[in-house]
Amino acid sequence: MSDEILAELNERFGSGSGPLQPDVAAELQSIMRLHQLSAQDVFFKWESYCIKMDMDEQKASIDSLRAFKQDLQDALERSHRAQPHIKTEKRAGATPRTVTKGSTDVFGMLDGLTTPAAGRSAKASLKRKHLDNTPRVKPEPASSPLKLEDRLNSLGIVPPPAFNDRQNPGEVIEILNETLPAAEPPIAPFGEPRIRLTAASDQKKLGYKPLAMKLSEASEILDDRIDDFMALAMEHHKLDDSAFGSAAVQSTSEIVAVGRIASDSPEGKLNAASLVLETSRRMGGGLRVPLNLGKLPGYQFFPGQIVALRGINTSGREFTVQEVLTIPLLPNAASTPGALEALREKTRGGPDAMDSDAEPMPLNIIFASGPYTADDNLDFEPLRALCNEAADMYADAVVLTGPFIDMEHPLIASGDFDLPEEAIYDPDAATMTTVFKHLISPALNRLVAASPHVTILLIPSVRDVLDKHVAWPQDAFPRKDLGLPKSAKIIGNPMTLSMNEMVLGISSQDILWELRHEELVGGRPSDPALLSRVSRYLIEQRHYFPLFPPVDRSKLPKTGTAEGVPPGAMLDVSYLKLGEMLNVRPDVLIVPSALPPFAKVVESVLVINPGYLSKRRGAGTYARMTLYPVSEAEIASSSGSGMLAHKVFERARVEITRI
């Protein structure tokens, strides 16, 4: 064994009393060689094994390591065990039958009404059905069942490399506020939760009935948004009501026209020739007028953007734009000095904190977005690795956005997959809730077992097969029978909430990619940087999804299914007002996207795209935030001013990290 490997094993597995015993070190080396693992990966698997076996003492001994080695070998054999030919038996009535261990019998499934095979010793295969909810057994083929690799090849999918073979795990690819030191994990978990959650959005309103849109309601929502922005522009620029008019009306007088950017062509990308301004019914009868941008030095527009334009329409055929008026931003989030002081005390960890006079330790928050497993399996290894990382650092909060069980995952879409052997469930009552309980919840429960006071937030996606509320804005999915820990909370999509003093805005819809695809940029735009520009659109428009209409499904990034077409934005226009930002700008805006992950400060808002935790063919990224508290000196200096801006962007260190 090389000195470097021995030193790393001593660092991770040794105790303060001395180096590892020779037989223990040799056994660890044997595990590394047998499973082709690094010392770090062996340590992560060892911690997971200790949590699974409920071992209070995690010190490695020769006996415990041999049991650990056997457990790894058993897991490896289960994953590579050849699947035997199944003797079939015809039965009337298409009643589900019990299958032997290792079988790949496929059952029908629609809308969660499916029946995987039951028992600790039996695996289940689930398949969607097309028309009815009656469980049926798919006739067995005469030949042996297809292996996983064959099923993926039939879908045109090349199996990605194993998760343990991923490149550069733990590598930090981008750091915001690098001058702030990274937080060191505490010696032990805090005695109580250090985070207090307060919802700013009304969760109950997201429980509306989807797919019941009326055209009259949708048009009123779109019109009201234009009229609201006209009132904002009038107040901000100190204009009289007479200064506003309809861009579609011929006139020799200069006016200010407020409307929605649109295209005169239902197909194709927005361009300068197809650009039109759509007026509201109150100000312009809902008419559309072409825009002439020749006098602007630079511009940046996208469909659905509400704009205030100063110009003139002398010909009656087009509106010549002379100036684009700014729309005022929402105010920055702020709190009273007394509230900030109380939150400083909360971050100390309660009355049992070691030193009440010391500076409170910074908050440790992890942000990640689904998918949480690669296209070739449902092992959810990236999610388990993330939970292990959160447990190691005693994270204060873990914020996870969907999709959790992605309807566009090849195995979920085909319905041909197995639940773990140890899963115990009723085959006649198994649904996608059962799948979540046995594939996702165990990782979250192990995290809570290691760090009892961690706060876990789950935000759904329109691609979540678990959620029957398919439209955006989207209600939270029910937690009944999911097997989640009590500290896990399911919230809506989008949602604005306060995490201590930090105002956090979250939306799992990939608006950044769609804005990048649909925006029109010409001349010298005010913001040439792509990622900050598309992020600024959300802040300026005060909305989590300001694009309208959304990008056509066929133009979105392809999925791993046979059709390859994702579900799209699934907007319910009648309820788009629920997607608005409320009262203040968020301190932190979480917008997962297929664009490269980043952390940027845009208009005093810390915008974070954590990336996807698992890509279709490999491991992805997540974001880790170290948030330092407001200093006592700053609170004391502003005690007489009434309110103190949070300025989270100045005291938060964000690391975009490979899982």
Side-chain angles (χ1 to χ4, degrees):
M1 184 184 301
S2 69
D3 293 339
E4 292 182 0
I5 295 178
L6 182 59
E8 187 173 1
L9 288 175
N10 272 294
E11 179 184 353
R12 295 185 178 277
F13 289 90
S15 62
S17 58
L20 294 173
Q21 295 296 325
D23 55 345
V24 172
E27 192 67 25
L28 288 171
Q29 182 192 23
S30 174
I31 295 173
M32 292 172 61
R33 183 175 61 255
L34 180 63
H35 297 278
Q36 297 181 348
L37 298 174
S38 66
Q40 182 183 26
D41 289 336
V42 171
F43 181 68
F44 288 159
K45 289 182 177 294
W46 167 252
E47 283 196 324
S48 299
Y49 173 75
C50 292
I51 294 174
K52 181 176 73 172
M53 302 303 293
D54 197 20
M55 296 169 57
D56 295 331
E57 177 61 51
Q58 296 191 11
K59 182 180 179 181
S61 64
I62 187 63
D63 293 334
S64 61
L65 283 177
R66 285 173 178 169
F68 169 56
K69 183 179 180 180
Q70 185 61 45
D71 184 76
L72 291 178
Q73 187 66 26
D74 292 343
L76 185 63
E77 290 177 359
R78 284 196 300 269
S79 64
H80 291 86
R81 184 178 297 125
Q83 301 189 17
H85 177 69
I86 302 172
K87 182 178 179 181
T88 62
E89 177 183 337
K90 293 185 178 179
R91 297 186 183 183
T95 305
R97 60 182 180 275
T98 303
V99 297
T100 58
K101 182 177 180 181
S103 70
T104 55
D105 196 11
V106 181
F107 289 78
M109 175 174 163
L110 173 68
D111 194 25
L113 300 175
T114 61
T115 57
R120 178 175 295 273
S121 62
K123 288 186 177 179
S125 294
L126 307 176
K127 182 148 187 172
R128 292 180 180 173
K129 295 176 5 157
H130 298 290
L131 297 174
D132 60 73
N133 295 329
T134 306
R136 290 199 297 265
V137 176
K138 183 178 178 180
E140 296 292 341
S143 60
S144 298
L146 289 176
K147 293 182 180 181
L148 175 61
E149 292 80 2
D150 298 328
R151 297 202 299 267
L152 292 173
N153 289 334
S154 68
L155 295 174
I157 301 170
V158 178
F163 180 73
N164 288 332
D165 298 332
R166 65 194 185 278
Q167 297 292 322
N168 305 319
E171 177 188 7
V172 178
I173 60 178
E174 181 179 336
I175 302 178
L176 178 73
N177 289 336
E178 192 171 1
T179 55
L180 294 174
E184 294 293 333
I187 300 175
F190 289 94
E192 64 178 33
R194 298 202 300 155
I195 284 182
R196 182 178 66 194
L197 295 176
T198 307
S201 302
D202 191 344
Q203 177 92 12
K204 294 181 179 179
K205 290 183 178 180
L206 291 173
Y208 66 89
K209 183 179 179 181
L211 305 179
M213 185 191 320
K214 297 181 181 179
L215 290 178
S216 59
E217 294 177 357
S219 63
E220 288 175 3
I221 291 296
L222 296 176
D223 263 6
D224 289 346
R225 185 162 168 80
I226 296 176
D227 293 338
D228 291 344
F229 270 67
M230 189 181 76
L232 291 173
M234 181 185 302
E235 181 180 0
H236 180 69
H237 294 280
K238 304 291 192 279
L239 298 174
D240 293 331
D241 189 63
S242 58
F244 293 85
S246 172
V249 176
Q250 181 179 5
S251 173
T252 56
S253 301
E254 183 180 84
I255 62 166
V256 174
V258 180
R260 177 179 292 102
I261 294 295
S263 174
D264 64 0
S265 173
E267 299 180 357
K269 193 174 183 296
L270 186 69
N271 57 68
S274 65
L275 191 68
V276 298
L277 184 71
E278 180 180 273
T279 62
S280 67
R281 283 176 295 185
R282 184 171 76 86
M283 290 299 298
L287 297 175
R288 289 183 169 188
V289 58
L291 295 179
N292 184 337
L293 307 177
K295 293 188 177 182
L296 294 179
Y299 53 84
Q300 49 198 45
F301 297 118
F302 63 87
Q305 181 180 5
I306 309 299
V307 293
L309 307 175
R310 189 188 301 276
I312 190 171
N313 185 353
T314 55
S315 65
R317 295 187 298 272
E318 65 179 18
F319 186 76
T320 302
V321 182
Q322 298 172 346
E323 181 186 3
V324 179
L325 302 183
T326 58
I327 302 295
L329 303 177
L330 286 168
N332 285 315
S335 298
T336 63
L340 294 176
E341 180 61 37
L343 291 171
R344 270 180 58 89
E345 292 302 315
K346 186 174 184 61
T347 56
R348 296 186 191 277
D352 297 329
M354 295 295 293
D355 188 354
S356 59
D357 295 328
E359 187 72 9
M361 291 186 67
L363 294 175
N364 232 328
I365 305 173
I366 286 179
F367 301 101
S369 175
Y372 293 98
T373 189
D375 273 3
D376 69 326
N377 66 74
L378 290 173
D379 295 336
F380 289 88
E381 293 173 298
L383 178 62
R384 295 205 303 267
L386 181 77
C387 290
N388 288 339
E389 181 67 21
D392 289 343
M393 68 175 65
Y394 296 119
D396 294 289
V398 177
V399 181
L400 305 176
T401 62
F404 296 97
I405 302 179
D406 189 359
M407 66 174 66
E408 301 306 314
H409 190 286
L411 300 181
I412 295 293
S414 67
D416 197 1
F417 61 91
D418 298 325
L419 289 179
E421 283 188 348
E422 62 270 16
I424 301 177
Y425 53 92
D426 181 359
D428 296 324
T431 65
M432 277 297 167
T433 299
T434 311
V435 178
F436 187 101
K437 178 179 180 179
H438 291 291
L439 296 183
I440 296 178
S441 294
L444 302 179
N445 280 291
R446 285 193 293 268
L447 168 59
V448 173
S451 183
H453 299 299
V454 63
T455 298
I456 302 175
L457 295 181
L458 307 179
I459 300 94
S461 162
V462 294
R463 290 174 55 167
D464 266 308
V465 71
L466 188 70
D467 199 346
K468 295 182 180 180
H469 195 287
V470 297
W472 192 96
Q474 185 179 19
D475 193 15
F477 52 83
R479 66 177 297 148
K480 183 180 180 181
D481 300 327
L482 292 181
L484 288 170
K486 292 183 178 180
S487 57
K489 296 175 175 57
I490 307 171
I491 59 178
N493 173 32
M495 178 61 68
T496 304
L497 52 91
S498 292
M499 191 174 284
N500 288 359
E501 79 279 3
M502 178 180 70
V503 179
L504 179 65
I506 315 171
S507 174
S508 65
Q509 196 67 33
D510 188 355
I511 180 59
L512 299 185
W513 191 94
E514 296 199 30
L515 284 171
R516 171 65 185 93
H517 185 275
E518 291 295 316
E519 71 169 346
L520 170 64
V521 179
R524 300 188 303 275
S526 58
D527 189 350
L530 166 64
L531 298 179
S532 61
R533 184 172 67 244
V534 293
S535 302
R536 180 174 280 103
Y537 290 148
L538 276 63
I539 300 169
E540 292 177 342
Q541 295 291 297
R542 306 180 174 202
H543 204 280
Y544 291 102
F545 200 98
L547 180 69
F548 185 83
V551 175
D552 185 81
R553 294 175 56 197
S554 61
K555 299 177 183 178
L556 295 173
K558 301 300 181 184
T559 66
T561 59
E563 296 79 8
V565 181
M570 310 288 284
L571 296 185
D572 195 322
V573 181
S574 299
Y575 292 91
L576 281 183
K577 194 171 181 64
L578 297 177
E580 292 181 350
M581 298 178 185
L582 302 173
N583 303 324
V584 296
R585 272 176 273 172
D587 292 312
V588 178
L589 181 60
I590 307 298
V591 277
S593 174
L595 294 179
F598 65 86
K600 295 185 178 297
V601 179
V602 181
E603 300 291 355
S604 301
V605 177
L606 177 50
V607 184
I608 301 175
N609 168 24
Y612 298 152
L613 191 67
S614 179
K615 300 177 182 178
R616 288 179 54 193
R617 302 181 186 277
T621 58
Y622 67 96
R624 174 185 174 183
M625 173 189 287
T626 303
L627 179 60
Y628 287 84
V630 181
S631 66
E632 270 190 315
E634 191 171 358
I635 294 175
S637 64
S638 62
S639 58
S641 60
M643 301 292 284
L644 180 62
H646 297 162
K647 296 183 180 179
V648 170
F649 62 91
E650 292 182 349
R651 48 191 178 90
R653 174 190 172 102
V654 181
E655 299 171 339
I656 306 296
T657 310
R658 298 186 192 276
I659 188 59

